């Protein structure tokens, strides 16, 4: 019975698809699809002109730093201590500064290490921290709405941002540069004429690119890894942002390289809700202690040594 069924099946197959079939074979050609990352769009409207009428790097002078577990009654730090966790807005896709380690699933990077030192200063424990991922465009809203206590996310200090957000003293200096494929011929901003360049929407990097003359075609995305995907897929010719971010991308793809001179200086600060002046002074006290006791250098050596020798911690500048 089994042999008979097999014979019938073979016969049917030959009748349908055999050489004697009157139906010609159809050739089907399907073009490969390389979709752009969600939210990617061409940027054609100029960002608002940056206000430079302020002392960008000046912040509130710290007072004496209280010992962990002894925050002043009624202070913002005391409220955080009562909650039991410091809530910090961070990144998860910027290698070296804020990224999710694929081996452990944990968030790591220089920004996160600095945030843990602030938690250590409040609780005596760097792990008493709640890390919440925010995009570049969500940083200000996360602070002003009270969703987070701090933002430690390659947050460049600008006069415009200081209108709505308070910043700590500078804890890192970056330089805006270019990432391009090796052998592409792109070596400077002059090489970007008639090219397609990617940057994250809402960043100071995009504003600097829009000001170039001639201006390249610009694409805004949600994260720097989205830019890398577009570069790998041939949808853009280059990426431009802070050099530390670009070196992190280059570490993930040996076919690209960081090129060109600095387009602009980017001072990073910890973002804090503007009303919480006591927390600003406290964070500045922690950063000052990190500069003096070697913690900043230790964190650099542990997480950023691939960038080269340590430049040393930026000096603090206070406005009162």
């Amino acid at each position: 019975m089994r042999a008979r069924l097999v014979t019938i099946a073979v016969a049917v197959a030959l009748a349908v698809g055999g050489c004697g079939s009157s139906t010609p074979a159809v050739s089907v050609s399907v073009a490969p699809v390389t979709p752009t990352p969600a939210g990617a769009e061409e940027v054609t409207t100029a960002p608002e002109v940056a206000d430079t009428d302020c002392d960008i790097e000046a912040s509130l002078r710290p007072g004496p730093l209280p010992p962990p577990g002894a925050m002043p009654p009624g202070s913002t730090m005391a409220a955080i201590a009562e909650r039991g966790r410091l809530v910090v807005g961070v990144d998860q896709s910027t290698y070296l500064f804020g990224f999710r380690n694929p081996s452990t699933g944990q968030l790591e990077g220089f920004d996160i290490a600095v945030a843990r030192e602030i938690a250590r200063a409040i609780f005596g424990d760097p792990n008493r921290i709640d890390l919440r991922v925010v995009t570049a465009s969500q940083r200000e809203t996360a602070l002003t709405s009270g969703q987070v206590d701090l933002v430690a996310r390659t947050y460049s200090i600008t006069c415009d941002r200081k209108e709505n957000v308070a910043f700590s003293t500078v804890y890192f200096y970056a330089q805006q540069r270019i990432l391009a494929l090796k052998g592409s011929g792109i070596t400077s901003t002059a090489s970007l004429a008639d090219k397609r360049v990617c940057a994250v929407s809402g960043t100071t990097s995009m504003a600097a690119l829009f000001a170039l003359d001639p201006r390249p075609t610009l694409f805004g995305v949600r994260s720097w890894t989205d830019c890398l995907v577009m570069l790998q897929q041939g949808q853009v010719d280059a990426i431009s942002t802070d050099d530390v971010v670009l070196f992190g991308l280059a570490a993930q793809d040996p076919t690209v390289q960081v090129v060109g001179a600095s387009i602009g200086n980017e001072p990073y600060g910890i973002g804090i809700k503007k009303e919480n002046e006591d927390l600003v002074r406290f964070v500045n006290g922690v950063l000052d202690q990190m500069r003096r006791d070697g913690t900043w250098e230790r964190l650099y050596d542990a997480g950023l040594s691939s960038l080269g020798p340590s430049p040393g911690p930026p000096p603090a500048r206070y406005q009162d």
Side-chain angles (χ1 to χ4, degrees), residues 110-134:
F110 189 77
D111 280 342
I112 291 169
V114 171
R116 289 189 182 279
E117 291 303 314
I118 299 170
R120 187 196 304 275
I122 295 174
F123 299 101
D125 181 355
N127 297 316
R128 297 282 290 275
I129 192 167
D130 181 359
L131 300 172
R132 299 190 182 179
V133 174
V134 296

Side-chain angles (χ1 to χ4, degrees), residues 47-129:
E48 292 185 14
V49 177
D51 177 16
T52 58
D53 190 23
C54 77
D55 187 344
I56 289 177
E57 298 184 17
S59 185
L60 297 175
R61 186 178 301 278
L65 198 61
M71 298 299 103
S75 67
T76 305
M77 296 78 73
I80 293 170
E82 184 176 356
R83 182 203 300 145
R85 290 286 188 276
L86 175 68
V87 183
V88 185
V90 299
D91 196 4
Q92 67 173 354
S93 58
T94 300
Y95 185 60
L96 301 181
F97 271 75
F99 66 100
R100 194 173 295 280
N101 187 320
S103 300
T104 64
Q106 299 300 307
L107 291 167
E108 300 177 7
F110 189 77
D111 280 342
I112 291 169
V114 171
R116 289 189 182 279
E117 291 303 314
I118 299 170
R120 187 196 304 275
I122 295 174
F123 299 101
D125 181 355
N127 297 316
R128 297 282 290 275
I129 192 167

Side-chain angles (χ1 to χ4, degrees), residues 29-49:
S29 177
V30 178
V33 177
T34 53
T36 56
E41 60 183 1
E42 185 175 348
V43 176
T44 57
T45 303
E48 292 185 14
V49 177

Side-chain angles (χ1 to χ4, degrees), residues 35 44 66 68 108 161 172 215 237 240 290 301:
T44 57
E108 300 177 7
R161 288 173 176 170
F172 196 89
R215 185 173 68 243
D237 304 296
S240 182
M290 290 172 60
D301 292 342

